[in-house]
Amino acid sequence: MNLKDKIRNIPDFPEKGIIFRDVTTLLKDAEGVQEAIQSMEKVLEGIDFDLVLGPESRGFIFGMPIAYNMKKGFVPIRKKGKLPAEVFSREYDLEYGTATIEMHKDALQKGQKVVIVDDLLATGGTAKAIVEMVESVGAEVVALVFLIELDFLKGRDALHDYNIKSILHY
């Protein structure tokens, strides 16, 4: 199965000149979503880690089943103002603007090893912000796993010191 065939391309969204890679068409396909999750899990084989972190919202969709299947905990990374306890915040650049993400201050402990899972690596802004929050508490990012990487946006450059695994490249 070609997973790219299951992903819808939407031109000029959210603004002119951007081709949005819409994974909702993949998610409604049982075999496609299974293959996507299994492919992401496979690149984690042999990597020692304690927790999966996933940013809102598609990081939840892919990160939670990976955490469950691999018997790991899951830490949600949320948009600003969505978490009820004390948080760390990071503002970051998107390919079409800025945003702020947050993580509970008690979500990680010093020395824990984490994997960040998301649907898409574009400019690397979201992932870099998460890495900074993780490292600020003394935890370690051992891998970042993405279903899709937009190579032309060079997000990997912002994360050049990290173990990046991407399943599909555009």
Side-chain angles (χ1 to χ4, degrees):
M1 170 188 310
N2 184 349
L3 287 175
K4 281 186 176 181
D5 291 342
K6 304 287 183 185
I7 296 169
R8 176 172 41 199
N9 299 313
I10 301 175
D12 300 324
F13 183 84
E15 61 185 44
K16 191 164 180 60
I18 293 175
I19 298 174
F20 187 82
R21 306 299 177 179
D22 180 16
V23 296
T24 63
T25 49
L26 169 73
L27 295 174
K28 71 180 183 177
D29 182 283
E31 289 178 13
V33 77
Q34 268 191 325
E35 183 170 324
I37 297 293
Q38 289 169 353
S39 296
M40 294 170 87
E41 289 172 358
K42 186 175 175 85
V43 299
L44 289 171
E45 288 177 1
I47 296 176
D48 178 37
F49 66 98
D50 303 302
L51 294 165
V52 173
L53 278 64
E56 188 171 341
S57 64
R58 291 174 303 276
F60 294 4
I61 292 168
F62 292 101
M64 189 61 224
I66 291 169
Y68 177 83
N69 290 339
M70 299 186 86
K71 298 176 176 44
K72 305 295 181 182
F74 179 80
V75 174
I77 307 298
R78 300 291 314 264
K79 294 174 183 171
K80 185 176 181 172
K82 300 292 185 182
L83 292 172
E86 196 173 357
V87 297
F88 293 110
S89 294
R90 286 289 187 280
E91 186 174 289
Y92 62 98
D93 293 325
L94 299 164
E95 60 272 25
Y96 50 86
T98 62
T100 301
I101 55 170
E102 297 179 332
M103 174 181 71
H104 277 140
K105 283 192 174 182
D106 63 357
L108 302 177
Q109 296 176 3
K110 184 177 181 178
Q112 283 186 307
K113 296 177 181 178
V114 305
V115 169
I116 298 167
V117 173
D118 205 356
D119 69 322
L120 180 74
L121 176 59
T123 63
T126 306
K128 184 69 172 167
I130 297 168
V131 166
E132 290 170 359
M133 287 193 295
V134 168
E135 292 178 345
S136 75
V137 299
E140 178 187 0
V141 175
V142 295
L144 296 99
V145 180
F146 302 96
L147 178 62
I148 298 167
E149 182 172 348
L150 302 178
D151 298 328
F152 63 95
L153 290 175
K154 303 188 185 306
R156 190 174 282 262
D157 293 352
L159 303 161
H160 59 84
D161 291 332
Y162 299 92
N163 181 11
I164 300 170
K165 309 285 188 184
S166 299
I167 307 307
L168 304 173
H169 292 265
Y170 289 88

